[in-house]
Amino acid sequence: MRFDIVTIFPDYFAPLQLSLVGKAIQNGLISVGVHDLRDWTHDRHRTVDDTPYGGGAGMVMKPEPWGEAIDALVDPADPPILIVPTPSGEVFRQSVADELAASRRPLLFACGRYEGIDARVMAHARTRLEVRELSLGDYVLNGGEVAVLAMMEAVVRLLDGVIGNPQSLTEESHAADHDGLLEYPVFTKPLSWRGLEVPEILLSGHHANIAAWRREQARQITLHRRPELLPGS
Ligand code: JEK
């Protein structure tokens, strides 16, 4: 699967060489291009921003470099989904990660900065491409870069062959079994640590009782932290 990222901070994406996404690149399961938006400017100062029409604080990203970048990176024979992180986007949930991974389409990420990108860039792209304006969540970041790192990690770990142990994804896809509840707590060795013991039930070997205990723990945690996820709320 192909990923391209346009940003004024290419160095932000050095962490993609690490960990799971880095291994997926090394194994040839994905390929990633990181591109500096300023490469599509033509003035001496490589300007990417200007003052907002209608007034207001801050600056807005100019449309022309974005138009040229998208033109250069789109292969009409294999058109990407254009993903634009924005605080006003549809929330990026697991269901969105699932859709993007299943699409197998190339993903082209446009990282804005300042107050965002001139809206005509998205309007024009929509005439040729599928465009998704997505938000990581209800808080304000300074730009799209962190959102792209999170979205890419969520998509890449779903691709066939990326996770060494496919069982861990199979169990996740059974999340329906867990009624969409939050995770139960997990424990490993040692049995006693700083005066805290592993719950005895987990040592019993009684799988049905363990499953019932975990379901109840998940229900309690969900009730306290995310009551809106409980059925009938
Ligand atoms: C992309 C630029 C910064 C900051 C103005 C006024 C209330 C903010 C843009 N979950 C997410 N949070 N933030 C982003 C995100 C932020 C971005 C860009 C994504 C490009 N910025 C910025 C302030 C404002 N708004 C009204 C909200 C706009 C994001 C994601 N994904």
Side-chain angles (χ1 to χ4, degrees), residues 8 22 54 56 66 75 93 99 101 108 117 139 150 163 191 194 224:
I8 60 169
W66 282 110
D75 174 0
R93 295 198 171 68
E99 284 170 30
L108 173 53
I117 302 170
Y139 36 81
I163 285 191
L191 193 52
R194 299 193 176 185
H224 286 107

Side-chain angles (χ1 to χ4, degrees), residues 74-80 106:
V74 169
D75 174 0
D78 187 17

Side-chain angles (χ1 to χ4, degrees), residues 59 61 84-90 92 110-117 133-148 151:
M59 300 293 272
M61 294 192 106
V84 186
T86 166
S88 57
E90 167 197 4
F92 180 80
C111 298
R113 281 269 149 180
Y114 314 103
E115 300 295 303
I117 302 170
E133 297 187 57
L134 297 173
S135 166
L136 206 54
D138 291 337
Y139 36 81
V140 183
L141 303 172
N142 276 334
E145 285 79 6
V146 163
V148 168
M151 292 173 191

Side-chain angles (χ1 to χ4, degrees), residues 145-178:
E145 285 79 6
V146 163
V148 168
L149 286 171
M151 292 173 191
M152 275 193 62
E153 189 158 306
V155 170
V156 170
R157 64 187 291 283
L158 297 174
L159 302 178
D160 285 343
V162 168
I163 285 191
N165 169 18
Q167 173 69 15
S168 51
L169 277 182
T170 316
E171 272 184 25
E172 248 181 29
S173 71
H174 290 208
D177 298 355
H178 302 279

